[in-house]
Amino acid sequence: MITFTPLAGGAQSSQTTPLCYLLQVDDVRILLDCGSPDWNPESQTTKPEDGDDGEEPWDQYTRSLESIAYTVDLVLLSHGDLGHAGLIPYAYSRWNLRAPSYCTLPVQAMARIAVVDHVEALRSEEDVDAGAAQSEVYADTSEHSGEAVKRSKGGKCIATVKQVHDAFDSFTALRYSQPTHLQGKCQGLTITPYSAGHTLGGTIWKIRSPSSGTILYAVDLNHTRERHIDGTVILRPSSGGVGVFEPLARPDLLITDAERALVISSRRKDRDSFFLDVITSTLRTNSLLIPCDASTRLLELLVLLDQHWSYSKLKSPICLISNTGEEMLTFVRSMMEWLGGTISKEDVGDDGRKRKRGAAEDDRNFGAFSLRFPHLEFYSSPAALTATYPSSKPKLILAVPASLSHGSSRALFADFASVRDNVVLLTSLSEEGTLSRSLLDKWNQRQADDGRWDQGGLGSVMELDETINIMLNSKVPLQGTELDAYLQRERAAKEREAAHQAAMARTQMMLEADEDDSESEDSDSQSDDDLQEGMDAEMDMTAAISPTVLEPGGGVGSRRRGGRQGTGGVGERGDWAFDQDEALTKQLLSYDIYLKGNVSRTTSFFKTAAGQTQRFRMFPYVERKRRVDSYGETIDVGMWLRKGKALEEDAETEEVREAKRSKLAEDEAKKTAVEPPTKFVSHNVEVRLACKLCFVDMEGLNDGRALKTIVPQVNPRKMIIVHASREATESLTESCAAIRAMTRDIYAPALGDTCQIGQHTNSFSISLSDELLASIKMSSFEDNEVGFVVGRIASHATSSIPILEPAAAVAPVAPLDGGDDAKPIAGMGLRPIATLPRSTMIGDLKLTALKSRLAKLGIAAEFAGEGVLVCGAAASKAAGETTSESVAVRKTGRGKVVMEGTVSDVYYIVRKEIYNLHALVAA
């Protein structure tokens, strides 16, 4: 069973961006795209109406995504812009969206660049962490109290730059047409990316499930080839014309968008000509401002402008205000295999002439000339641009973002729009509620009916003469009393930190001293034990070699430590004996430093004359024990690292050392100065619009005519429409309903609605026996091999998985004699009833493919109507031939194939070719 829920960008909605959908295939939950909304809509500057609960437009979307993020099993991204991937980093770091994630390599890089530029611009204008922290506190409170507490007003989900890099580093990059068999909970699913056009690396995702069939997720397509990329792969030219790419034809479910179903685009040649004419005429005396995105569609504009500058020999500079522009171009130059269009076919050199393949020039750099952009200059802020060029100098300015809601483009617009005859040139449709969208609506309303951009017209440049108020956010340095208060707080914080560190250091020293004392005590006690053992040994040895003495009682005894042997055989201890032992101890082990007296009386160094080992007096020294752990003596890792580093430095050559020194110098130069104390401020600015306004559609998307042509050719069994307004959804639905062969199962879920397709299917694992595998006849179909089996399930004690064995290998249970199940004996002359094996043909017959195969065999074939192919003599125009050897192949709306004609050689040849175009599975 398939369950589909739009979290954002649903059908029948005026808010069509961003895009985020939850697709559940049986028990696997797949997140399709995860875009971010515009966090600064113009509606924020107005006060909420009475009765308004104060919620932001994105609150429902972020709450829904946060509630299901930890349950997602798979993430797929189709395009690398903010509308498709902008919220991935925040969900990854804050909402535990850690499922396996896949996209193409350009989508991964372009999305990273776009989101980094986005978060840097927002964080440089407002304190986004304060609202996010307040929102998290509200969420935690709601969990403990059990009540549904709303997210705080103004809580924006803005990630940090580090979180952006961590999130996109977790993605797995795939190539086009690379099938990937998933593991874990997604085992059984196969995903394959295909080219979608529109953006570099844009993807159509094909998802194959053993229980739900084939699912296509295809949004934001472009079938036409552009200057830097080719069109979508869903349409491929063939001998019979343009047809659908075979692996993408006839899916079980197609998920597509219908945002531009009502749009009729003008010819691309006319749009480009109008676009360049406006630029050329304006640069004679004034400047142009083109709001653009940071990565995806910016590349198409740069290639077009660079070619125009080279051909027309324009002297005005092209200025790009972006923090990530150079990084984006560096990446694109390394991804030439992903590019297409005119970049891979021709290049523009310094002389302005085309360089064709096979030219005498060096071909090693072929393809890179159009990506060098010699006329392009990069700037990090409008202030840097103003410091280089005065406002009176004509120039073309590309500023990020395209929505004019924040960042460089909004700050520049406030001053740029007040200069008469300057031109603001819009190239894309932004989200509803943004400044760019409101300007576009004003321009489109003032155009004639045949001049509107969505009705195939180009329109004209419109002069503005009105006043608007816009909110500008910025970060300014602290001054005066605010700066003094900040420095005082910083000093107090540093003093508290220093006191805390000193207390921690004292505590650490006390702990180390206690540890050293304990170790010293252990070592001293051990040394004392060793000393006592040595003294006992010396005393015993001395007593053993001492001469016998006559005791006063007439007995014979020997001198021992701490006592003597009496006459009665009982040992008694006397004072004289103790003093004598103590004197002997001092004589044997003394701690005097000076060596005097009878120290060296012996003539031998090793042994005395009596055989006693000579002992020398020493200064007392206690050797500390080495620290050991469970594996032996502890190793000083730092010492070995220092020695290794010293050895490496000794082995380095002078060139390597010089390279390291230069790199260190570069790193020091790149280090930015310490930012002074700042604060975030917001102020309303009254802008007098005296500039000109124009719009040229440069988004690179299919219009309504292309969409209504491609979808019926794909011919899905079921379809879901997303990312569309109510009018656009109804237009595409009516267009599909007018086609007889098109499916009637079309769904258009609104935001938050859930549609279920099919029934829940339970899948089980089964093992095929070796005997059964040997008897199967396999037929190839697309990427798989299909076969027909008949068997019985048997369980074995040696395996936990049931085994399918041939039916003959399992003996049937014989019925009881005389029972009702006993088969009657066949009469004389009657053959036993035998069931003929049936065959199954898998595949979808393409009459154009059949026509091309018959042409190779020399059989003429022509179309005689919708879904009818006439083959043989009737299709030949040669005179004198009869129509007896003719066959008509007709394809019905239900997928059945009907052959009509006389029995002849042509009939059997045509039938054989039809069989060859299918996978024949014989029973």
Side-chain angles (χ1 to χ4, degrees):
M1 183 175 65
I2 298 175
T3 304
F4 184 83
T5 305
L7 304 180
Q12 305 180 14
S13 173
S14 59
Q15 199 76 16
T16 58
T17 52
L19 283 73
C20 185
Y21 311 104
L22 180 63
L23 173 68
Q24 183 170 348
V25 182
D26 293 337
D27 296 331
V28 180
R29 298 166 69 88
I30 306 173
L31 189 68
L32 303 174
D33 287 331
C34 186
S36 64
D38 193 287
W39 303 109
N40 293 322
E42 293 301 310
S43 57
Q44 275 191 331
T45 61
T46 61
K47 296 182 179 180
E49 298 178 358
D50 295 339
D52 189 3
D53 56 2
E55 282 197 353
E56 298 295 346
W58 58 78
D59 280 342
Q60 181 182 358
Y61 167 45
T62 53
R63 283 198 300 266
S64 301
L65 181 59
E66 183 180 4
S67 63
I68 59 97
Y70 69 96
T71 65
V72 173
D73 303 312
L74 179 65
V75 179
L76 301 177
L77 294 185
S78 59
H79 295 277
D81 53 10
L82 295 176
H84 295 81
L87 206 55
I88 282 287
Y90 194 89
Y92 177 85
S93 58
R94 301 292 185 89
W95 298 337
N96 199 26
L97 182 62
R98 301 299 178 94
S101 306
Y102 296 88
C103 65
T104 59
L105 183 60
V107 168
Q108 181 186 23
M110 289 296 188
R112 185 200 305 265
I113 291 170
V115 180
V116 165
D117 187 274
H118 182 64
V119 300
E120 285 182 348
L122 286 173
R123 289 182 174 273
S124 65
E125 293 184 351
E126 52 184 313
D127 189 7
V128 297
D129 293 329
Q134 187 178 3
S135 300
E136 292 177 1
V137 170
Y138 272 71
D140 294 340
T141 304
S142 65
E143 290 180 3
H144 291 290
S145 62
E147 299 176 359
V149 179
K150 295 180 182 179
R151 183 181 296 271
S152 65
K153 182 179 179 180
K156 301 176 182 179
C157 305
I158 310 297
T160 62
V161 175
K162 184 180 183 303
Q163 291 171 351
V164 173
H165 290 294
D166 292 343
F168 287 106
D169 286 342
S170 66
F171 273 74
T172 301
L174 303 178
R175 290 186 173 273
Y176 285 149
S177 303
Q178 175 188 349
T180 303
H181 304 282
L182 304 180
Q183 302 298 327
K185 188 176 180 180
C186 304
Q187 186 172 9
L189 294 182
T190 302
I191 57 174
T192 309
Y194 294 94
S195 174
H198 177 55
T199 62
L200 186 64
T203 307
I204 298 174
W205 284 105
K206 178 181 179 181
I207 307 170
R208 300 198 65 175
S209 169
S211 59
S212 302
T214 303
I215 302 172
L216 280 188
Y217 176 63
V219 294
D220 290 342
L221 306 181
N222 185 17
H223 70 285
T224 59
R225 186 181 67 176
E226 297 186 271
R227 284 174 174 79
H228 74 291
I229 52 174
D230 293 326
T232 177
V233 75
I234 201 169
L235 293 181
R236 281 289 183 89
S238 60
S239 58
V242 178
V244 177
F245 189 39
E246 183 64 29
L248 302 180
R250 193 66 175 165
D252 294 283
L253 175 63
L254 172 65
I255 304 172
T256 188
D257 66 313
E259 183 185 21
R260 298 168 68 96
L262 298 174
V263 174
I264 302 176
S265 299
S266 57
R267 294 192 307 169
R268 175 188 160 188
K269 181 179 179 181
D270 297 337
R271 294 198 306 270
D272 293 349
S273 178
F274 179 67
F275 178 76
L276 298 176
D277 289 343
V278 172
I279 292 175
T280 305
S281 60
T282 304
L283 287 178
R284 294 190 180 100
T285 56
N286 291 85
S287 301
L288 290 98
L289 172 62
I290 302 179
C292 60
D293 66 325
S295 59
T296 52
R297 297 304 303 172
L298 172 62
L299 188 58
E300 177 71 12
L301 291 176
L302 291 179
V303 175
L304 174 59
L305 294 174
D306 182 69
Q307 293 179 356
H308 180 63
W309 251 246
S310 299
Y311 283 123
S312 302
K313 302 294 183 182
L314 297 179
K315 302 301 182 182
S316 301
I318 304 175
C319 306
L320 174 60
I321 305 179
S322 173
N323 294 325
T324 57
E326 293 183 271
E327 180 184 356
M328 184 270 292
L329 292 181
T330 301
F331 167 77
V332 171
R333 292 188 187 104
S334 65
M335 291 286 106
M336 295 300 297
E337 67 272 16
W338 293 88
L339 298 174
T342 58
I343 289 182
S344 60
K345 301 297 187 298
E346 64 182 33
D347 292 303
V348 180
D350 294 336
D351 54 356
R353 295 177 299 174
K354 292 182 179 181
R355 298 187 179 216
K356 297 291 186 180
R357 290 193 183 274
E361 290 85 352
D362 186 8
D363 288 337
R364 289 177 298 177
N365 294 327
F366 188 83
F369 289 102
S370 291
L371 298 177
R372 291 179 179 176
F373 305 115
H375 311 283
L376 182 63
E377 300 176 8
F378 298 94
Y379 297 93
S380 59
S381 64
L385 174 63
T386 306
T388 305
Y389 295 109
S391 58
S392 58
K393 180 178 176 58
K395 52 188 172 294
L396 174 62
I397 305 173
L398 298 167
V400 178
S403 61
L404 294 173
S405 60
H406 65 278
S408 302
S409 61
R410 187 179 183 89
L412 190 63
F413 175 81
D415 298 327
F416 186 89
S418 59
V419 179
R420 185 168 297 278
D421 293 335
N422 277 355
V423 175
V424 177
L425 185 54
L426 305 177
T427 59
S428 62
L429 276 75
S430 300
E431 188 176 340
E432 289 283 348
T434 59
L435 177 59
S436 176
R437 188 59 177 267
S438 63
L439 293 175
L440 172 59
D441 293 340
K442 291 179 181 178
W443 177 86
N444 201 36
Q445 290 173 2
R446 296 190 186 182
Q447 303 299 318
D449 293 340
D450 57 348
R452 295 186 177 182
W453 73 273
D454 54 353
Q455 299 301 322
L458 296 174
S460 59
V461 179
M462 180 188 72
E463 294 185 2
L464 296 175
D465 187 12
E466 59 180 295
T467 301
I468 62 173
N469 292 325
I470 62 175
M471 179 76 71
L472 291 181
N473 301 322
S474 60
K475 184 166 61 173
V476 297
L478 297 179
Q479 296 177 354
T481 57
E482 292 181 342
L483 180 60
D484 295 339
Y486 174 81
L487 294 178
Q488 185 177 359
R489 289 194 302 269
E490 285 293 312
R491 283 193 298 268
K494 288 181 179 180
E495 291 174 358
R496 288 194 300 269
E497 182 66 21
H500 177 69
Q501 293 295 335
M504 293 293 294
R506 286 195 301 270
T507 305
Q508 184 67 22
M509 291 175 61
M510 294 174 61
L511 292 176
E512 291 178 356
D514 293 342
E515 184 179 358
D516 293 340
D517 292 343
S518 62
E519 291 182 359
S520 178
E521 291 174 0
D522 295 341
S523 300
D524 293 343
S525 61
Q526 183 67 26
S527 300
D528 293 342
D529 294 342
D530 295 342
L531 180 61
Q532 185 67 31
E533 291 176 2
M535 291 173 59
D536 294 342
E538 294 291 345
M539 299 273 300
D540 293 342
M541 182 173 59
T542 304
I545 63 175
S546 61
T548 59
V549 295
L550 181 63
E551 296 295 334
V556 179
S558 60
R559 194 182 309 159
R560 295 182 182 275
R561 181 184 179 186
R564 59 186 177 90
Q565 187 70 26
T567 55
V570 181
E572 297 179 358
R573 185 177 182 85
D575 296 337
W576 67 271
F578 179 80
D579 296 338
Q580 188 177 9
D581 292 343
E582 186 177 0
L584 179 61
T585 302
K586 291 182 178 179
Q587 180 183 3
L588 293 176
L589 295 175
S590 177
Y591 294 106
D592 293 337
I593 299 175
Y594 303 101
L595 303 180
K596 293 182 179 182
N598 57 355
V599 176
S600 56
R601 289 181 301 173
T602 58
T603 58
S604 174
F605 180 81
F606 295 99
K607 293 181 179 296
T608 62
Q612 182 181 1
T613 303
Q614 180 64 40
R615 297 178 61 84
F616 292 89
R617 298 171 181 173
M618 299 177 60
F619 184 82
Y621 171 75
V622 178
E623 181 181 3
R624 293 184 179 274
K625 292 187 176 182
R626 296 180 179 272
R627 295 189 178 187
V628 297
D629 55 13
S630 303
Y631 299 95
E633 182 181 348
T634 58
I635 299 175
D636 187 1
V637 181
M639 180 188 68
W640 289 103
L641 291 177
R642 290 191 295 271
K643 287 184 178 180
K645 186 176 181 180
L647 293 175
E648 291 179 359
E649 292 178 353
D650 294 340
E652 288 177 353
T653 61
E654 189 62 29
E655 291 80 3
V656 177
R657 294 176 183 175
E658 183 64 27
K660 283 189 175 182
R661 284 193 291 268
S662 61
K663 189 176 187 308
L664 184 61
E666 291 178 0
D667 294 340
E668 290 293 335
K670 290 180 180 179
K671 288 183 179 179
T672 58
V674 178
E675 185 180 3
T678 57
K679 66 176 180 179
F680 296 99
V681 296
S682 300
H683 56 281
N684 273 314
V685 177
E686 183 177 310
V687 180
R688 177 68 180 178
L689 299 181
C691 64
K692 297 180 180 180
L693 181 64
C694 186
F695 173 77
V696 180
D697 183 17
M698 303 292 290
E699 282 197 299
L701 291 170
N702 287 335
D703 62 351
R705 293 176 298 185
L707 179 65
K708 295 172 184 177
T709 303
I710 294 175
V711 170
Q713 292 188 25
V714 176
N715 195 17
R717 291 178 173 84
K718 294 178 177 61
M719 185 171 68
I720 296 178
I721 299 175
V722 296
H723 191 211
S725 62
R726 181 181 301 275
E727 295 78 9
T729 303
E730 294 175 354
S731 176
L732 181 59
T733 304
E734 293 173 0
S735 175
C736 294
I739 302 175
R740 184 180 59 182
M742 189 66 187
T743 180
R744 299 296 182 266
D745 297 329
I746 300 178
Y747 305 88
L751 190 63
D753 293 345
T754 299
C755 61
Q756 295 182 353
I757 300 175
Q759 298 178 353
H760 186 76
T761 304
N762 295 323
S763 58
F764 303 93
S765 299
I766 194 170
S767 177
L768 302 182
S769 64
D770 296 338
E771 184 180 359
L772 185 63
L773 283 174
S775 62
I776 297 176
K777 295 181 180 180
M778 306 298 293
S779 299
S780 298
F781 176 67
E782 293 185 0
D783 301 332
N784 303 318
E785 290 187 352
V786 185
F788 188 85
V789 296
V790 177
R792 294 189 178 184
I793 298 176
S795 299
H796 295 274
T798 58
S799 176
S800 59
I801 301 177
I803 300 177
L804 185 65
E805 297 180 348
V810 181
V813 179
L816 298 175
D817 295 340
D820 297 336
D821 296 335
K823 293 184 179 180
I825 301 176
M828 291 296 295
L830 296 178
R831 290 185 176 183
I833 299 175
T835 303
L836 295 177
R838 300 185 60 182
S839 299
T840 303
M841 300 177 67
I842 301 176
D844 189 12
L845 177 64
K846 302 294 183 182
L847 296 181
T848 55
L850 177 62
K851 179 182 176 182
S852 60
R853 293 177 70 98
L854 294 176
K856 294 179 181 179
L857 298 176
I859 298 178
E862 295 292 340
F863 287 99
E866 183 180 359
V868 179
L869 180 67
V870 178
C871 313
S876 176
K877 298 182 181 179
E881 293 186 5
T882 61
T883 59
S884 57
E885 295 187 356
S886 299
V887 176
V889 181
R890 180 165 51 88
K891 186 177 179 181
T892 63
R894 295 294 181 179
K896 295 183 178 180
V897 179
V898 179
M899 288 183 58
E900 299 175 348
T902 58
V903 177
S904 59
D905 295 338
V906 175
Y907 177 87
Y908 290 107
I909 294 174
V910 172
R911 188 183 68 172
K912 181 180 179 181
E913 293 302 322
I914 293 175
Y915 287 169
N916 292 335
L917 290 173
H918 290 79
L920 185 62
V921 181

